[in-house]
Amino acid sequence: MDSPEFQKERQKELDKHTAEAMNCFLLISVDYLYRNYHCKRKGVLKYLEFVLHQMHFAQKDEEYFQLMNEELEREVGVNVLGTLKGE
């Protein structure tokens, strides 16, 4: 279990599951935008472009999402990450 090969395979599997979870979340959020705000193709593509742009920032800064969450909580009064964790 401590072998580099096992760790590498485990990380690949984790990355795969993380990507699948992210894709499902994006699909859910696009469905929400479509059903509640009637976003069409242009709006959906703009949203997905925004998400990809934000993910590039997150890759460079491990605290990016925590800082964004804190700022959104100050601005709108919702702790998104805390809500998702059940806090």
Side-chain angles (χ1 to χ4, degrees), residues 40-55:
K40 301 292 184 198
R41 178 181 166 79
K42 184 177 179 182
V44 168
L45 291 174
K46 189 173 181 178
Y47 169 71
L48 292 174
E49 182 179 316
F50 173 78
V51 169
L52 290 173
H53 184 72
Q54 297 296 34
M55 294 304 290

Side-chain angles (χ1 to χ4, degrees), residues 5-66:
E5 295 86 20
F6 178 79
Q7 294 297 328
K8 186 177 179 178
E9 284 302 312
R10 185 172 176 166
Q11 186 61 49
K12 262 176 69 174
E13 198 65 24
L14 179 61
D15 291 345
K16 177 184 169 192
H17 290 297
T18 301
E20 289 172 358
M22 183 67 179
N23 287 339
C24 289
F25 173 77
L26 285 172
L27 182 58
I28 291 167
S29 61
V30 166
D31 184 52
Y32 177 82
L33 292 172
Y34 173 73
R35 290 174 188 257
N36 293 285
Y37 297 100
H38 310 291
C39 285
K40 301 292 184 198
R41 178 181 166 79
K42 184 177 179 182
V44 168
L45 291 174
K46 189 173 181 178
Y47 169 71
L48 292 174
E49 182 179 316
F50 173 78
V51 169
L52 290 173
H53 184 72
Q54 297 296 34
M55 294 304 290
H56 290 294
F57 287 121
Q59 289 174 342
K60 297 175 186 174
D61 182 357
E62 292 182 18
E63 296 179 352
Y64 181 75
F65 287 116
Q66 186 61 42

